[in-house]
Amino acid sequence: MATSRTGYPRMDLGEEYKGRKRKKPHSASTSAPLRHAEGLKPPVLSTASGLLNMLKEKHPILKLHALNNLNVFMEKFWPEIAAEIAQIELVYENEHFEHRHLAALVASKVFYHLGDLTESLVYALGAASLFNVAERSEYVQTLVAKCVDEYISINARLEKGEGCFYLDPRLVEVVDRVLDQCLMDGKSEQALGIALECRRLDKLEEAITTGQHPETNLSYCLKLSQTFVNSRHFRQDVLRLLVENYQRLQEPDYLSLSQCLMLLDEPQEVAKMLQALIRGDGRNASVAYQVAFDLFETENQRFLTRVDEFLQDFEASESPQNHDMELNSNFTRSSLTTQPALNDKQRPVDSDSDHKAVDSSEPEFDYNAGALASSSQNPPAMELDRQCQDIGSPRKGMQRLSFHERLKKLKGILSGDIPINLHLRFLNSNNRSDLLLLKTIKQSLETRSSSICHTATIYTNALLHAGTKVDTFLRENLGWLRYSTNWAKFSATAGLGVIYRGYLDQGMSLLAPYLPQHRGSPFSEGGALYALGLIYANHGKRVRHFLLECLRNANHEVIQHGVCLGIGLAGLATADDEIYEEVKGILYRESAVAGEAAGIAMGLLYVGSGTDKAGEMLAYVQDTQHEKIMRGLALGIALTVYGRENEADSLIERMTRDQNPVMRHGGMCAWAMAYKGTANTTAIRRLLHHAVHDVSDDVKRAAVIALGFVLCTQPEQTPRIVSLLAESHNAYVRYGASLAIGISCAGTASKTAIALLEPLITDSIDFVRQGALIAMAMVLIQHTEAYEARVGPFRKQLENIMKNRYEEPMTKMGAILAQGILDAGGRNVNILLKSRNGHCRMTATVGMAIFCQFWYWYPFIYFISLSFSPTAFIGLTEELRVPKFNFISQTKPSMFAYPPPTPTPLRDSSPSNPNPTPAMLSIAAKRPHVDAKDRNMNNTKTPAPITQEATRITAPACYSPKSCTGINESSHDHVAAKANLPSTHSLSKKLKTTFAPGESSRNSELPSFLTRYDQTTDDMAKQQQQQDPPARIEESVDPPTPPHEEPASEVLNNPTRAISAQVKFFHFPHSNRFVPLLPQRQPSGFVMLLDTQPSSEPEAQYMWDDVEED
C-alpha cells in the first residue's frame, strides 16, 4: 500500500518491515491530531490518492494520518480530494470515530473551495474547536463573515415571530469566540460592530467596558447606533445601555449623554443634568450652556419645551433662603475635592413650594459629582486661578452669576431666544447679498419675461436675503412689483416671512400693514399670514392666539390657505388638538385651495407623533373628490410618521398599495419621512422598486426624490445608488434623481454628484434642466472656485441661461432659483438636514420635503428657507458674551472666501468720481480686424491718431438731448431708436477712442448719422491734439505688477463665517486668551470658550452685549 513513490513516510505495519533500513516514522498520537502544527516539516506529495485510500482503512490511526495530511495539503490537491468528498463525509458521520471533528474541518474546506459556503459553514460548525477563528487565512475570514451573517439573519427572523427558524447553539458559540478574539486582539471597534449587528447587548457592554478607551468606544457605539441599527426598539435598548455606561464614567461626556437622553425622549433626566451642572462652578455652567446649544440645533422644540417645564419646576422649588445660601457657598467649594454636591433629595426644600418630587425608587445618577470631577484635569496654574475665583475673588469686570441667573440664561437658550438673536446679529453684520445681481436678473427679464420668471425673481430675492431683514430690492422696485397680481401678490407678500425669519419680537409689527385687520387684498392678507408662519416657524407660541383667531374669522379661501400654512408652521410638532379641530373645520368645507393647505397643516402639527389622527386623515382621502385635498392630506400623513421607521410600515404599506396614484405618491413621501437619514436597506429597496415599476410618473419621481432623504446622512452613497436612474429614459425619473442628489449632497461639493448633474443640466427636457440647476446650486452652495473648479463655470452658465431670450421659461426659472439658493442668506447660510452631532434636524427635513412639492404649487418654494442654517463660528464666554479674539485658519484665504460681487458694468461720472474708467465700444474693439481692402477704399493719406472724448455711458442722464448741445437732434434720434442704441449725441460726444496709425475711423461701417458726426469732430480732435497731444491707450497703462503670492493661512475674528469644510483647518494658538472649552468638539456653531487669563490686562472686549435684550 505504501511505496516510496508516494512521497509520504511509510507506516510501521508489521514485523516483516523491521529488517529494512528506513527512516524513523513520525509518532501518530491520538491526543494531537494536527501533528504538522507542532513545527514538523510536512512531506512533499505529488498526489493525494494514497491518502484518500487510507480513509477506507478500518484502523483509526490510518484515518487520522490521512486526515492530517489532507488538511495540510488541501490548497494543492482540493480538486482531487473533492472527488472523494463522500468518503470524508462518511468518516465524519461515524460517531465512534474519535477524530470526526477533523473530518468535518476537511469537508468544510472542500466545500469552501467548491464555492458552497452554506455546506462549508455546516461542516465548520461540526469541526467545533478545530475551526480556529483566530487564524488569518482567507478560508477562516470568509467563514467567520458567513457565520455572523447567518446569525444576524436567523436572529432577525426570530424577532419577527417566524418560529420555523432555529438558532444553532454551535453558531452562537462561534460568534462568541469571534467576539472574544476581537477583544483579545484589541479590536474594540470591530467587536462593537459585530455585537450591534448580532444584537448582543451583553457582548456590547463587554466590548465597551473592557477596552482601553471607554469614552472612545461609547462615542463610536453611539454613532453606529444611529447609522447601522435598523430596528428602532433595539436602538433604544442600545441607547439605554450607553446612558448607563456614560453615567459610570469618572468624567461623563455630557454632550453625548444629553443626545442619548433626547433620543430616548427623557426630558426630565436632561433637566436634572442641566440643573446639576449650573449649580457647579463656571466651567460646569459653560458645559451646561454648550449642551443646551447642541440640543437647540436638533430643532426638537417639543422636547425642549418639556425640558424647560422641568427646569421651571426646579426653579420653583428654590426658596429665597436657599437661593441666598447658594450664592454665598456654591462657589466656595473646592473643585478639586471628590465630595459630590448636594442632590435634589439632600437639598432643603420649602414646604410651601410646588416642587414635584422625584420617585426615590428610580436609580439616580449624581451629575454633580461627575461635573466636579471633570474639572480636576485642568493645568495647575489654571486650576489655581479657578480656585481663587471660587473662594471669592471675582473676575475683574465681572460678577458671579447666581443659580437663578444661570437658569434664566439656560432657558433662553432652550427657548431659542438667545441663539436666534445671535444668528440674526451674525447674518445682519456679515451680509454679503448682491443687489446688483438682482438688478441684472430683473433687467434681463424686463422686456421678454413671463409671469413665471417674474415670480421666480421675487422668490430669489427672498432667498438671497433670508434672515437678513434687507428688503431694499422690494422698496426700490415697487412699480415693478405692481405687475404681481393674485397669487403672485400672495407670493410677494409671503417672501417677507423669509427675509424677516427669526425676528420674533418684531414679526407682528413688520407685517402689520398686510395683516387681515387692514381690509386689504385677500392675496396680500393670505400671504402675510403665511409669512407670519415662516417668521415664527417652530417658535410660534407668541402668535398662536392671533393666528387661531384669524383662522376662525377667515371667509376667503385664499386667506384660509395662508393662515393654515402659517398656523401649521407656527405650531410645528406641538400636537395642539385645539388648532387641529379648527383646521379640520376648514378641510370639511371642501375648498380645493384651502383644503390642500389644511391637510398639510394637520401634518405639520403632528410631525413625528405617529398619532391616530393619521387614520382619520386617511379615511377622509377616500371621501373627497378634490385632487388637491388628497395631495395635501397624503403629504400630511407622511409628516406624522416622521422618524417612526418600522412602526410606520403598516400605514405606508396601505398607502403604497392604494389604486389612487396620489396616495401612492404620499406613500413615497412617507418612506422618506419615516426612514430619514437611516440608509435603511428595506426602504431603499422598496423605493427603487416603485421608481422602476410604478405606472405613474409622479410616483416614480417621488420615489427617487425620497432616496435623497433616506440617504441624507450618507451623501457619499447617493450618487452611486441613483447613477443609473439619472440615465433613465423617463424624464420624471431623471428629474427625481437630480433632486435626490441635491438633497443628500447639499453643501458637500461632491465631485461624483457634480459629474452626475452636469449632463442633466443640458438635458433635452426643460423641467429636467430646471431640477438639475436647482440641485447643482444645492451641492455647490457656499463653495468657491478655488475649492471646486466647477463653481465659476456654473455661475456663468446661470447668467447665460437667464439672458438667453430663447430659453424655455421652466429652465430659466430653475436658473433664477438656483442663483438664489447659491447665494442664500447673504451668502452666510448652508442647507443642513443634519445637525453637527449627526442627528436629522426636524424643521429642516420637513421644510425640504414640502419644498419638493413646488412641482404642484410654487409658494411651497419658501419652505426651503427652513433648511437654511447659518454657517458661523460664534464663541461665547461663561456670561454668554461674544469676546473679540483671533484665531487661525490654516488654509489659503481664497479657498473659503466670499464669492466676488457682481462687477458693475457701468459707472457714473460724478464729482465724487472725477476720473471715470474709460470704456471702449465694440466698434473700437473690432477696429484692429478691419480688412485691408476697406482701408484702401479711402484713397487718403494715413490720418493722425483720432482721439475722441470718452466717458462711461450711463442711463438715463446721458440719453437726454439736453446733455448734447450743438447736435442735429431731429435727424438722428429716430435711427438710434430703431437700432436699439443709446442717443447718438451723447454717445459720440463722450466717446474717447484711439486708433492706430494707418487705419481709418471706420466711418464706412457706421450708420450715416455717426459718419457725419465723426467728420465734424475730426477738426476738434486735431485742435485738442495741438494743445495737449494725447497718449496712446497702450502707453497709458501701468506696467503689470508681479503677482502677489497668496498666504498659506489667514487670521479670523470671532464671530466669523465658518463653512463645514473649513472648520477642520481652524487652529487656536495656546497663547490665546480664549480657547474652546471642549477641544474635541467641532469648532463650529455656538462654541463655549474658556478664559485662560481671567485676570490679565487689558480687560477683554466684547460685542453684541445687548443680544439678550433684543
Side-chain angles (χ1 to χ4, degrees):
M1 181 181 68
T3 63
S4 59
R5 290 180 299 172
T6 59
Y8 58 85
R10 299 186 179 118
M11 304 298 297
D12 189 4
L13 300 179
E15 294 292 335
E16 65 271 23
Y17 295 100
K18 290 184 178 181
R20 293 189 180 184
K21 187 176 182 180
R22 64 183 184 277
K23 296 181 181 180
K24 185 178 180 181
H26 296 291
S27 175
S29 174
T30 58
S31 62
L34 300 177
R35 59 183 180 81
H36 294 297
E38 299 176 358
L40 300 179
K41 185 177 180 180
V44 179
L45 296 178
S46 60
T47 180
S49 59
L51 296 175
L52 293 172
N53 290 330
M54 293 177 66
L55 293 176
K56 301 177 183 179
E57 298 291 337
K58 296 182 178 181
H59 203 292
I61 296 181
L62 295 178
K63 294 181 180 179
L64 176 61
H65 177 78
L67 291 174
N68 275 329
N69 285 276
L70 290 175
N71 184 53
V72 172
F73 296 106
M74 180 63 66
E75 294 290 336
K76 185 176 181 180
F77 298 115
W78 71 265
E80 188 177 355
I81 300 173
E84 300 292 337
I85 186 62
Q87 184 63 36
I88 301 175
E89 291 177 333
L90 288 176
V91 175
Y92 167 67
E93 292 172 0
N94 184 6
E95 297 182 357
H96 300 289
F97 182 54
E98 183 180 359
H99 302 290
R100 59 191 297 264
H101 299 302
L102 181 58
L105 181 64
V106 173
S108 175
K109 291 184 178 181
V110 171
F111 281 110
Y112 167 76
H113 286 287
L114 291 174
D116 191 348
L117 296 183
T118 302
E119 288 295 323
S120 178
L121 178 59
V122 170
Y123 284 102
L125 296 178
S129 60
L130 294 183
F131 180 64
N132 184 13
V133 297
E135 185 179 333
R136 295 294 182 264
S137 65
E138 182 180 354
Y139 158 74
V140 171
Q141 293 179 356
T142 304
L143 264 292
V144 165
K146 175 67 176 176
C147 179
V148 173
D149 291 341
E150 192 71 16
Y151 182 95
I152 295 171
S153 177
I154 296 176
N155 198 23
R157 292 179 178 181
L158 289 175
E159 289 186 359
K160 293 180 181 180
E162 300 180 15
C164 57
F165 292 91
Y166 171 70
L167 195 58
D168 194 334
R170 298 177 301 172
L171 191 64
V172 177
E173 191 267 338
V174 172
V175 172
D176 289 343
R177 285 196 287 130
V178 170
L179 290 170
D180 294 338
Q181 187 63 41
C182 290
L183 295 177
M184 290 176 59
D185 296 341
K187 299 178 180 179
S188 299
E189 293 186 353
Q190 185 176 351
L192 289 172
I194 297 175
L196 278 176
E197 287 191 295
C198 295
R199 302 186 180 184
R200 293 286 301 274
L201 291 177
D202 55 338
K203 291 294 182 180
L204 181 65
E205 184 172 13
E206 183 180 352
I208 292 173
T209 56
T210 58
Q212 297 181 354
H213 305 285
E215 300 86 353
T216 305
N217 293 339
L218 285 169
S219 300
Y220 182 72
C221 187
L222 176 60
K223 180 181 178 181
L224 290 181
S225 66
Q226 300 305 306
T227 53
F228 294 104
V229 178
N230 295 330
S231 173
R232 188 166 182 263
H233 294 293
F234 178 69
R235 186 186 305 119
Q236 291 181 340
D237 293 338
V238 173
L239 291 174
R240 293 188 184 94
L241 177 65
L242 294 179
V243 168
E244 294 176 2
N245 284 272
Y246 271 122
Q247 293 174 346
R248 294 171 187 167
L249 294 177
Q250 184 179 3
E251 301 179 16
D253 183 357
Y254 292 105
L255 299 181
S256 300
L257 179 58
S258 63
Q259 296 296 320
C260 293
L261 293 174
M262 182 199 68
L263 295 172
L264 289 171
D265 195 23
E266 296 184 2
Q268 186 176 9
E269 290 298 317
V270 174
K272 289 168 58 179
M273 180 184 70
L274 294 176
Q275 181 255 4
L277 285 172
I278 60 176
R279 291 183 184 278
D281 58 7
R283 182 186 181 91
N284 292 331
S286 298
V287 173
Y289 297 151
Q290 188 68 73
V291 169
F293 278 123
D294 287 1
L295 289 175
F296 170 78
E297 287 185 357
T298 61
E299 298 181 345
N300 191 345
Q301 199 61 32
R302 180 173 55 185
F303 178 82
L304 297 180
T305 302
R306 294 165 63 192
V307 173
D308 184 69
E309 292 174 355
F310 284 112
L311 288 175
Q312 289 180 1
D313 295 336
F314 293 139
E315 184 179 18
S317 67
E318 293 291 326
S319 65
Q321 180 180 0
N322 291 333
H323 169 53
D324 296 337
M325 292 175 59
E326 176 196 359
L327 185 63
N328 295 327
S329 64
N330 186 42
F331 299 102
T332 59
R333 302 191 192 104
S334 173
S335 60
L336 293 177
T337 181
T338 58
Q339 179 68 27
L342 295 177
N343 56 30
D344 291 339
K345 299 178 183 179
Q346 297 170 330
R347 192 178 304 278
V349 179
D350 192 355
S351 58
D352 297 333
S353 65
D354 56 349
H355 175 61
K356 297 181 180 179
V358 181
D359 187 3
S360 59
S361 61
E362 297 180 0
E364 182 175 330
F365 171 59
D366 192 350
Y367 294 102
N368 290 304
L372 293 173
S374 65
S375 59
S376 62
Q377 303 297 324
N378 294 332
M382 189 189 310
E383 193 66 29
L384 181 60
D385 290 341
R386 195 170 57 77
Q387 288 187 57
C388 293
Q389 295 168 17
D390 290 342
I391 292 174
S393 302
R395 190 176 305 172
K396 182 176 180 179
M398 170 194 128
Q399 296 181 352
R400 273 296 172 193
L401 298 178
S402 66
F403 169 78
H404 288 272
E405 291 172 334
R406 290 178 174 177
L407 187 60
K408 180 181 178 182
K409 292 182 179 294
L410 186 64
K411 293 170 63 178
I413 298 173
L414 295 174
S415 65
D417 293 339
I418 293 178
I420 289 176
N421 285 331
L422 288 170
H423 274 158
L424 294 178
R425 288 293 188 93
F426 170 78
L427 292 175
N428 190 270
S429 60
N430 292 272
N431 180 25
R432 298 293 190 278
S433 58
D434 196 347
L435 289 175
L436 188 58
L437 176 63
L438 282 171
K439 293 180 181 178
T440 304
I441 297 174
K442 173 177 169 291
Q443 292 172 1
S444 65
L445 304 174
E446 214 161 21
T447 58
R448 51 186 178 273
S449 63
S450 63
S451 60
I452 294 178
C453 298
H454 182 278
T455 306
T457 306
I458 297 175
Y459 292 141
T460 296
N461 169 64
L463 299 180
L464 286 174
H465 300 97
T468 62
K469 204 179 178 180
V470 176
D471 55 2
T472 307
F473 178 78
L474 299 177
R475 296 180 184 277
E476 292 180 353
N477 297 275
L478 294 176
W480 179 73
L481 287 174
R482 291 193 182 98
Y483 293 110
S484 301
T485 58
N486 298 336
W487 286 108
K489 183 180 293 185
F490 177 92
S491 299
T493 310
L496 296 174
V498 179
I499 297 175
Y500 299 140
R501 182 168 185 261
Y503 286 88
L504 306 181
D505 295 330
Q506 308 171 31
M508 289 289 295
S509 60
L510 290 170
L511 294 177
Y514 309 97
L515 292 174
Q517 59 261 32
H518 290 275
R519 304 291 182 184
S521 167
F523 293 95
S524 295
E525 293 178 0
L529 293 170
Y530 179 22
L532 202 63
L534 291 170
I535 293 175
Y536 292 91
N538 208 16
H539 299 86
K541 187 176 181 180
R542 307 183 189 188
V543 294
R544 176 188 177 278
H545 178 72
F546 173 78
L547 289 173
L548 196 56
E549 289 299 320
C550 292
L551 182 64
R552 292 167 177 166
N553 300 329
N555 295 319
H556 198 283
E557 65 176 2
V558 177
I559 299 178
Q560 292 171 353
H561 180 89
V563 72
C564 283
L565 292 178
I567 203 169
L569 286 168
L572 186 67
T574 57
D576 194 317
D577 292 332
E578 183 181 2
I579 297 178
Y580 174 81
E581 293 299 328
E582 295 293 337
V583 173
K584 187 169 65 173
I586 299 294
L587 178 69
Y588 287 165
R589 296 185 184 184
E590 280 293 305
S591 170
V593 174
E596 181 182 22
I600 296 176
M602 291 178 178
L604 291 173
L605 289 172
Y606 289 96
V607 168
S609 63
T611 176
D612 296 335
K613 301 286 196 306
E616 183 179 347
M617 297 164 65
L618 190 61
Y620 189 78
V621 173
Q622 310 298 331
D623 298 335
T624 184
Q625 300 297 322
H626 292 286
E627 183 178 336
K628 290 178 69 68
I629 296 179
M630 293 180 188
R631 185 173 294 111
L633 286 171
L635 181 58
I637 295 171
L639 295 177
T640 61
V641 298
Y642 174 89
R644 306 304 293 186
E645 299 182 26
N646 50 350
E647 295 179 4
D649 285 350
S650 59
L651 179 61
I652 297 175
E653 190 71 19
R654 183 178 174 185
M655 297 176 70
T656 55
R657 292 184 179 274
D658 198 288
Q659 294 183 356
N660 189 345
V662 177
M663 287 303 300
R664 297 202 304 274
H665 181 279
M668 302 303 105
C669 298
W671 279 115
M673 294 293 96
Y675 290 93
K676 45 78 189 174
T678 61
N680 185 277
T681 55
T682 302
I684 294 174
R685 184 168 58 252
R686 294 294 302 276
L687 290 172
L688 289 174
H689 170 79
H690 286 282
V692 176
H693 295 96
D694 201 282
V695 297
S696 172
D697 289 334
D698 285 343
V699 176
K700 290 182 177 181
R701 174 176 51 83
V704 182
I705 293 175
L707 290 171
F709 289 95
V710 176
L711 296 168
C712 66
T713 57
Q714 299 183 25
E716 66 281 354
Q717 301 292 338
T718 309
R720 178 180 60 84
I721 292 177
V722 305
S723 58
L724 293 179
L725 299 175
E727 301 174 0
S728 172
H729 69 281
N730 191 313
Y732 292 82
V733 174
R734 297 199 301 272
Y735 175 90
S738 63
L739 278 189
I741 294 172
I743 293 168
S744 179
C745 304
T748 61
S750 168
K751 295 185 181 298
T752 310
I754 294 172
L756 283 177
L757 291 174
E758 281 184 333
L760 297 176
I761 293 178
T762 58
D763 196 274
S764 59
I765 306 299
D766 55 354
F767 64 81
V768 176
R769 297 196 297 272
Q770 180 194 73
L773 290 170
I774 294 174
M776 183 71 84
M778 292 181 180
V779 174
L780 296 178
I781 185 174
Q782 281 203 321
H783 288 289
T784 62
E785 193 170 3
Y787 185 84
E788 172 52 53
R790 188 66 182 83
V791 174
F794 178 66
R795 288 183 177 273
K796 186 65 176 177
Q797 191 173 17
L798 293 178
E799 181 181 355
N800 294 336
I801 292 174
M802 289 184 288
K803 291 182 178 179
N804 185 2
R805 68 177 66 188
Y806 303 109
E807 188 60 76
E808 295 289 341
M810 293 288 289
T811 305
K812 190 172 294 186
M813 177 187 179
I816 297 172
L817 292 177
Q819 190 67 71
I821 295 172
L822 203 59
D823 297 329
R827 296 174 171 173
N828 289 300
V829 300
N830 197 355
I831 296 176
L832 294 179
L833 298 187
K834 62 178 182 178
S835 65
R836 293 170 180 83
N837 295 318
H839 309 301
C840 286
R841 299 171 59 223
M842 183 187 68
T843 307
T845 307
V846 170
M848 183 61 71
I850 302 179
F851 163 77
C852 294
Q853 309 305 314
F854 82 91
W855 176 278
Y856 304 104
W857 191 235
Y858 286 153
F860 290 154
I861 290 175
Y862 289 135
F863 273 87
I864 196 176
S865 64
L866 302 182
S867 64
F868 291 162
S869 177
T871 51
F873 172 90
I874 303 178
L876 299 166
T877 62
E878 176 192 341
E879 303 82 26
L880 296 184
R881 302 174 70 186
V882 183
K884 296 181 179 180
F885 75 98
N886 301 329
F887 56 97
I888 301 173
S889 175
Q890 297 177 331
T891 185
K892 294 182 179 180
S894 63
M895 190 67 67
F896 303 104
Y898 283 102
T902 303
T904 306
L906 303 174
R907 186 167 55 185
D908 296 335
S909 60
S910 59
S912 62
N913 186 21
N915 298 319
T917 304
M920 183 177 293
L921 293 182
S922 59
I923 57 174
K926 296 179 180 178
R927 180 61 190 156
H929 305 288
V930 177
D931 208 338
K933 181 178 180 180
D934 294 337
R935 293 199 299 266
N936 295 333
M937 290 177 63
N938 293 325
N939 295 325
T940 58
K941 296 181 180 181
T942 302
I946 300 174
T947 305
Q948 301 171 2
E949 190 66 17
T951 186
R952 284 284 184 184
I953 303 169
T954 58
C958 66
Y959 300 159
S960 175
K962 297 180 180 180
S963 62
C964 308
T965 58
I967 309 295
N968 187 0
E969 302 169 359
S970 61
S971 60
H972 312 314
D973 286 349
H974 68 284
V975 181
K978 290 183 178 181
N980 197 20
L981 295 173
S983 176
T984 59
H985 317 311
S986 59
L987 177 76
S988 302
K989 185 175 181 179
K990 297 190 178 287
L991 176 65
K992 179 178 181 180
T993 310
T994 303
F995 299 101
E999 296 183 351
S1000 68
S1001 61
R1002 202 179 177 186
N1003 290 340
S1004 59
E1005 297 185 6
L1006 299 177
S1008 59
F1009 67 93
L1010 282 181
T1011 303
R1012 289 194 296 271
Y1013 177 73
D1014 286 341
Q1015 290 173 354
T1016 60
T1017 56
D1018 285 346
D1019 297 335
M1020 298 172 58
K1022 291 180 180 179
Q1023 293 176 4
Q1024 293 178 358
Q1025 289 178 6
Q1026 292 176 0
Q1027 299 175 1
D1028 186 13
R1032 293 286 301 275
I1033 292 180
E1034 291 81 5
E1035 298 173 355
S1036 63
V1037 177
D1038 295 335
T1041 57
H1044 179 68
E1045 184 177 357
E1046 186 178 10
S1049 62
E1050 66 174 327
V1051 177
L1052 301 177
N1053 302 319
N1054 178 51
T1056 187
R1057 177 174 178 257
I1059 303 175
S1060 56
Q1062 182 184 10
V1063 295
K1064 60 184 178 183
F1065 298 104
F1066 285 175
H1067 173 65
F1068 298 87
H1070 296 291
S1071 58
N1072 272 16
R1073 174 171 178 175
F1074 296 99
V1075 296
L1077 177 68
L1078 304 173
Q1080 72 278 8
R1081 183 186 179 275
Q1082 188 182 38
S1084 62
F1086 299 104
V1087 179
M1088 296 305 299
L1089 302 174
L1090 180 66
D1091 190 353
T1092 61
Q1093 304 169 13
S1095 59
S1096 64
E1097 297 289 345
E1099 186 179 351
Q1101 298 181 354
Y1102 300 89
M1103 57 191 303
W1104 304 348
D1105 280 345
D1106 58 338
V1107 66
E1108 294 184 61
E1109 285 76 12
D1110 287 352

